[in-house]
Amino acid sequence: MPVPLPPLRPGDRGDAVGALHWTLQAINRVVDRAERDARVFGASTQAVLSKLQQDSVIPVTGEWDDATRDLVTHILSDIGPLTVYGRVTDADGSPVAGASVVATDVDLRTREELGRVTTDSGGDYEIRYAA
């Protein structure tokens, strides 16, 4: 998923907050599952951001601001530049939660698993990998 644009603050909810949760998970900063499932910027999201900001010696706001986005974008560039993301839905277009998604690189004679994840409550997934 693309790194969301700031600002995001406590009380915000929706797809941008869901993208923020995926982004934080990609750098091993995990938000409480209830907040992830509800796609809400709550106390857990604020605590994760505050800790990240404190650890990185940038202003501690507890919000998703420009300085934090710049920091996380830099961290992600070191992890792996490639991402596969999307949403799994059923035939009616409803999201499928808990589905397993596997990204695989298939060449003429080889096959390599790039990553494996489970969809969230909104059916969204993200797999990051290096070339």
Side-chain angles (χ1 to χ4, degrees):
M1 266 176 213
V3 176
L5 295 173
L8 290 172
R9 297 181 177 93
D12 288 348
R13 48 181 68 240
D15 288 342
V17 175
L20 172 59
H21 293 154
W22 277 107
T23 299
L24 292 171
Q25 183 175 322
I27 61 168
N28 296 318
R29 306 285 179 138
V30 180
V31 173
D32 178 71
R33 182 174 187 91
E35 284 184 32
R36 289 192 326 259
D37 286 347
R39 297 177 184 216
V40 63
F41 192 131
S44 175
T45 306
Q46 186 174 20
V48 167
L49 286 173
S50 293
K51 177 77 169 121
L52 173 64
Q53 292 162 341
Q54 180 180 5
D55 291 349
S56 304
V57 194
I58 62 173
V60 178
T61 63
E63 297 181 354
W64 181 247
D65 52 26
D66 289 322
T68 310
R69 184 179 194 274
D70 291 347
L71 169 69
V72 170
T73 300
H74 178 75
I75 293 169
L76 288 171
S77 70
D78 289 340
I79 293 175
L82 304 173
T83 306
V84 175
Y85 64 91
R87 179 173 289 159
V88 177
T89 60
D90 64 15
D92 296 327
S94 299
V96 178
S100 293
V101 178
V102 180
T104 306
D105 178 22
V106 179
D107 295 318
L108 186 59
R109 291 186 176 86
T110 62
R111 179 183 186 126
E112 176 186 5
E113 184 176 305
L114 302 173
R116 176 183 301 261
V117 296
T118 302
T119 59
D120 67 11
S121 62
D124 291 329
Y125 66 90
E126 177 178 272
I127 300 171
R128 291 184 179 271
Y129 63 96

